[in-house]
Amino acid sequence: MPLPVLSGPHYLREGLRLILSPGLRLFVILPVTVNLLLFIGLIYFAVRQFGGWVDAFMPSLPDWLAFLEYILWPLFVALVLLMVFFTFTMLANIIAAPFNGFLAEKVETVARGEDTSPPFSWAELLAMLPRTLGREARKLAYFAPRALALLILSFIPVVNLAAAPLWLLFGIWMMAVQYIDYPADNNKMSWTEMMAWLRQRRWQSLSFGAVTYAALLVPVLNLLIMPAAVAGATLFWVREGGKGQPVVRR
């Protein structure tokens, strides 16, 4: 087992290998297709609006400080890119939530050695829909006020210089929260318990979130990384002591 700070790449790599196996490949096709359509739409919209967004966030400088625009412009480009990426990731995960919860359940059965090739079931997938969408709403309630605070910070001159690194750090943490929540929810762990579980494994969580965040920034590759992150987070859950309980349909 790698050191805690190095475990993130290890779990994501294993998750990628696992979703490409014949027994689980089918569970990946549907969310990848949905995310591909969303990705194309958001990229088209972002390309058309990108310049205006950067100009909106750039502070107005007096003429004698105009030279600083060449230094600040890359920082605010990075800020807009992080915000666009964050929006895409959140929307994609909300849409794919039932598929991701289902995939996490199947990966856990494989990881625990209970089933090597679980069958696909539309009825089982639909049964998970209310629970997984409810959990996504809880994640959104956690995310929204913090993202709003960062967004407000992004408009405050001088102080907004800290916005990009803070968005990055928050994004890394949210990647761990987003994907570990699937196996935690499948095993009936409450939101509060799950957050405490992550904090007890802070370095493992941050390393997994960081490598997932970096991989998701790569266009096209991020479509495959999302289900790989679900599988990797489930392996993380099983091997780091996540409790295993029968999933209750509700």
Side-chain angles (χ1 to χ4, degrees), residues 4-7 198-208:
V5 74
L6 301 176
S7 62
L198 279 173
R199 293 187 186 102
Q200 289 169 2
R201 298 157 180 83
R202 191 177 303 275
W203 286 112
Q204 295 96 317
S205 301
L206 289 174
S207 70
F208 179 79

Side-chain angles (χ1 to χ4, degrees), residues 15 59-60 72 81 95 118 133 139 144 149 167 170 177 181 189 240:
S60 298
L72 296 177
L81 285 173
I95 293 171
L133 291 181
K139 275 184 270 193
W167 270 105
F170 181 51
V177 171
D181 185 57
M189 179 178 274
E240 298 290 340

Side-chain angles (χ1 to χ4, degrees), residues 143-171:
F143 163 79
R146 292 162 177 81
L148 180 61
L150 287 173
L151 184 61
I152 293 171
L153 179 68
S154 302
F155 284 102
I156 302 174
V158 181
V159 179
N160 57 10
L161 294 175
L166 287 175
W167 270 105
L168 179 60
L169 183 61
F170 181 51

Side-chain angles (χ1 to χ4, degrees), residues 5 58 68 91 124 176 189:
V5 74
M58 274 285 292
L68 289 177
L91 286 176
E124 187 178 0
M189 179 178 274

Side-chain angles (χ1 to χ4, degrees), residues 105 108 124 128 131 183 185-188 245-250:
E105 181 181 321
E108 184 169 350
E124 187 178 0
M128 297 181 71
R131 191 189 80 239
D185 183 39
N186 284 343
N187 286 282
K188 301 179 291 182
Q245 296 182 10
V247 177
V248 174
R249 309 291 175 207
R250 56 181 189 271

Side-chain angles (χ1 to χ4, degrees), residues 64-95:
W64 63 278
L65 289 177
F67 70 94
L68 289 177
E69 290 185 3
Y70 298 100
I71 300 174
L72 296 177
W73 190 81
L75 178 64
F76 286 92
V77 167
L79 173 61
V80 171
L81 285 173
L82 288 172
M83 293 173 67
V84 169
F85 159 76
F86 229 76
T87 302
F88 165 72
T89 302
M90 292 300 295
L91 286 176
N93 280 316
I94 290 172
I95 293 171

